[in-house]
Amino acid sequence: MAKYKKKRARELQHDKFRDTAGKIFDRVGDRLEGKGRTILYGLAALILAGVLVGLYLKWNSRKSDEARRALGRAIAIAIAPVAAASPAPGAPPPAYSSEQERAQNAIAEFEKVAAKYGDPYKTEARYFIGTNLLYIDRDKAINELAEVSKGSVPEAAALAKFALAQVREEEGKYDEAAKLYSELAAQNSGVVTTDIANLRLALVYDKQGKKNEAADLLFNIVEAARKAKDSDGTPLPESTASREAAEKLQKLDADRYAKLTPELPSGNLPF
């Protein structure tokens, strides 16, 4: 989740709506080109419509920029340093005295975003509210994440379900955690890939004493990654999830680990 927060903070600096406005007016120009005289009222109506669309897109772009900046500010609070018992030498001064204090400040900012802007910013803010509530009120956090996980914003929904699965795993409710991880594996979201979900599912199986099922999942993750190639037939580098799965498999079942396709030597990687 921390990686997503940092990635999302960077993405908030970009604006995709300005290109959309240009494309709309290019299409209007193409429709008029080479058509000869146009009925005056029809042309006037088209020009007026273009002006209205332009004004809306300009307004919408400003609102989107504003929402991105607001969400970015809230995310910056959520990942700000917290005072440590033994701070590392040269570490920046902490912004907050505890995780609870940081979470309260972050929630206040995310609530402003959720109250003022529409989706996807509203739902993304609610996801962050849920994750920060875990430091303050676990029951409220679970309810918030459950609602977001059923929402229509795919990234936030997947991340909320992943957070819920982690909570259930931490609570020892392994059947519930396994069900959520299985659903995420089937969805193969861009933010929670099948490999990530299956890796967590394998760890849950291990905790349940289902060693064979866990080993099968880990083996399949690594084997598929080591055999993966691009369109030119060049081997693809292994993901972090695949490397972690290999480490877990080696500890869990050394015999299955020995049957894996050998890892590509680092000198032969395509970069």
Side-chain angles (χ1 to χ4, degrees):
M1 285 188 285
K3 285 184 179 178
Y4 172 75
K5 289 178 182 177
K6 292 177 182 177
K7 176 186 174 187
R8 187 63 179 137
R10 290 195 301 269
E11 288 176 346
L12 294 171
Q13 305 303 317
H14 301 289
D15 182 8
K16 63 183 179 182
F17 295 96
R18 288 170 188 154
D19 290 339
T20 304
K23 290 176 183 176
I24 288 174
F25 284 106
D26 285 343
R27 288 200 296 270
V28 172
D30 291 341
R31 287 180 61 190
L32 289 175
E33 192 173 56
K35 297 296 183 181
R37 289 183 175 273
T38 311
I39 297 174
L40 180 60
Y41 292 136
L43 181 58
L46 183 58
I47 292 171
L48 178 59
V51 169
L52 291 175
V53 169
L55 289 173
Y56 170 76
L57 288 172
K58 186 176 181 181
W59 172 84
N60 195 41
S61 178
R62 284 202 303 270
K63 293 297 288 183
S64 297
D65 283 342
E66 184 182 308
R68 288 183 176 93
R69 287 193 296 270
L71 193 54
R73 287 192 297 271
I75 290 174
I77 293 172
I79 62 176
V82 172
S86 302
Y96 300 100
S97 61
S98 67
E99 290 181 332
Q100 289 75 20
E101 182 190 2
R102 180 182 64 184
Q104 286 173 338
N105 281 271
I107 288 169
E109 288 300 311
F110 286 123
E111 285 176 340
K112 292 176 186 177
V113 176
K116 187 172 182 179
Y117 305 104
D119 279 332
Y121 313 107
K122 178 177 181 177
T123 301
E124 288 176 344
R126 290 186 62 199
Y127 159 72
F128 285 117
I129 289 170
T131 57
N132 279 277
L133 275 170
L134 288 169
Y135 295 103
I136 302 170
D137 189 324
R138 197 176 186 86
D139 289 338
K140 282 186 179 179
I142 290 171
N143 289 336
E144 186 73 18
L145 290 169
E147 288 187 17
V148 174
S149 72
K150 299 171 185 174
S152 59
V153 179
E155 273 194 354
L159 286 166
K161 183 175 286 190
F162 190 69
L164 281 173
Q166 290 177 305
V167 169
R168 295 313 186 196
E169 182 181 351
E170 183 185 332
E171 292 173 340
K173 298 178 179 179
Y174 298 131
D175 288 340
E176 292 182 38
K179 180 176 182 294
L180 292 168
Y181 286 134
S182 296
E183 291 172 359
L184 285 164
Q187 291 171 9
N188 193 24
S189 162
V191 291
V192 183
T193 64
T194 294
D195 281 355
I196 291 173
N198 275 333
L199 172 59
R200 297 305 313 174
L201 178 58
L203 300 182
V204 169
Y205 282 160
D206 185 26
K207 292 174 182 177
Q208 290 178 308
K210 300 177 180 179
K211 305 294 183 182
N212 291 335
E213 291 91 335
D216 286 343
L217 274 177
L218 295 170
F219 183 92
N220 291 337
I221 291 170
V222 182
E223 188 70 4
R226 292 185 178 180
K227 290 182 176 180
K229 296 180 180 180
D230 64 16
S231 58
D232 297 324
T234 304
L236 294 172
E238 285 189 58
S239 66
T240 301
S242 172
R243 293 186 182 281
E244 187 174 343
E247 293 176 5
K248 299 292 184 184
L249 179 61
Q250 188 175 22
K251 294 176 182 177
L252 180 67
D253 190 334
D255 290 338
R256 290 296 302 278
Y257 178 82
K259 295 176 182 178
L260 284 168
T261 296
E263 186 176 7
L264 191 68
S266 58
N268 293 336
L269 290 175
F271 51 83

